[in-house]
Amino acid sequence: LLSHSFANDVDDNWRKGFDGGYVELRYGILNYDDDILNRFFNQGENQVLFVDAGTSIYRFVDVGIGFGRSKSQGYLLSADDSVSSEVDELRVLPMSVHVTARAHLWQEQLIIPFGGYGMDYWLWKETWGGEDSTIDTSTDTTTDGTETETTTSTSEQKTLNGGKIGSHYRFGVEILLDKFDRVGESKLYNNFRIEDTYLVVEQRFFDVGEEGFVFDGKATTFGFRFHY
């Protein structure tokens, strides 16, 4: 009876041209095109987290806002162009307003392609210095052993920050997970009023900034979409 009532609610919403909301959580890798960024911040992959939320109009068009977070690390270059031991860290908070078209053509559609465009504003903060270093200043050998005197110094931490305006376009696919777990589908609807749950794979291309830090590049992310 419970599942029958749930199915009737979904059918009614679909026939009425369901206007609802959505939330997406995605995680993946961010790759920059800029040679300077890749040269300085080259310690590991640039991991990124995106959170998008908004309104879905008749399941065909999404209008939403997005937030993200990414951190990159590397080392400063010395005067002779060699890599120093001073850590350089770059934190980025991408924000966006976007419109997305979804090819959602029938109810219970398993795979839904999508594509969209958005305007971006990226906050960035670069931090370097502030590390402790220990230097041996003298050594005195005695009958009991070797005693070493050391001096610890801390470099001054320096920070630069700012914001960059740009845009992005994206495309990908959504895979309906409800088809594989009807019990979980009913629980999500009864407890949280979530109509559909999707696995999302997205490729996003950025054009952000013109001088200084240029955050052009792409991000490949995976995650979940909750449609309510």
Side-chain angles (χ1 to χ4, degrees):
L1 179 62
L2 182 62
S3 60
H4 178 71
S5 175
F6 167 70
N8 286 340
D9 287 342
V10 174
D11 288 342
D12 289 342
N13 285 333
W14 177 264
R15 284 194 294 269
K16 292 176 182 177
F18 176 78
D19 291 16
Y22 72 93
V23 175
E24 287 188 14
L25 303 172
R26 301 185 315 282
Y27 182 81
I29 302 300
L30 174 61
N31 295 306
Y32 295 118
D33 294 337
D34 188 72
D35 291 336
I36 296 178
L37 287 175
N38 292 326
R39 185 181 183 189
F40 279 86
F41 306 101
N42 56 6
Q43 298 302 303
E45 297 176 327
N46 302 317
Q47 302 177 15
V48 63
L49 172 68
F50 285 119
V51 179
D52 292 337
T55 299
S56 185
I57 304 172
Y58 295 98
R59 297 184 184 248
F60 293 117
V61 178
D62 290 347
V63 179
I65 59 175
F67 301 91
R69 183 181 185 275
S70 179
K71 183 176 74 172
S72 306
Q73 284 189 328
Y75 294 95
L76 293 178
L77 296 183
S78 302
D80 60 358
D81 211 28
S82 62
V83 178
S84 71
S85 61
E86 194 167 11
V87 176
D88 194 4
E89 182 178 271
L90 177 66
R91 295 178 183 267
V92 179
L93 298 176
M95 299 180 288
S96 66
V97 178
H98 50 258
V99 177
T100 304
R102 303 171 68 238
H104 195 168
L105 305 179
W106 62 85
Q107 188 178 5
E108 295 288 302
Q109 183 175 335
L110 178 61
I111 299 177
I112 302 175
F114 66 85
Y117 177 83
M119 301 300 297
D120 289 55
Y121 185 74
W122 289 34
L123 294 173
W124 61 270
K125 180 179 180 180
E126 183 186 11
T127 305
W128 69 95
E131 293 86 11
D132 293 336
S133 59
T134 301
I135 305 173
D136 293 343
T137 55
S138 64
T139 301
D140 181 24
T141 303
T142 66
T143 57
D144 295 329
T146 301
E147 186 176 297
T148 302
E149 183 177 321
T150 61
T151 300
T152 300
S153 63
T154 303
S155 61
E156 180 183 359
Q157 186 177 74
K158 299 179 181 179
T159 300
L160 288 175
N161 57 70
K164 297 287 185 177
I165 297 175
S167 63
H168 75 265
Y169 66 91
R170 64 180 186 142
F171 62 86
V173 294
E174 303 167 3
I175 302 173
L176 182 64
L177 298 179
D178 299 346
K179 282 183 171 290
F180 307 102
D181 186 0
R182 293 301 184 184
V183 175
E185 176 191 18
S186 297
K187 288 182 178 179
L188 285 174
Y189 179 78
N190 292 322
N191 294 330
F192 305 104
R193 285 296 185 258
I194 294 176
E195 295 279 356
D196 297 312
T197 303
Y198 298 90
L199 174 66
V200 181
V201 181
E202 183 195 275
Q203 185 90 70
R204 184 175 296 201
F205 297 87
F206 302 100
D207 182 7
V208 179
E210 295 181 353
E211 298 178 342
F213 284 135
V214 178
F215 297 114
D216 295 357
K218 65 179 180 180
T220 303
T221 56
F222 305 83
F224 297 96
R225 173 189 173 101
F226 303 98
H227 196 122
Y228 57 88

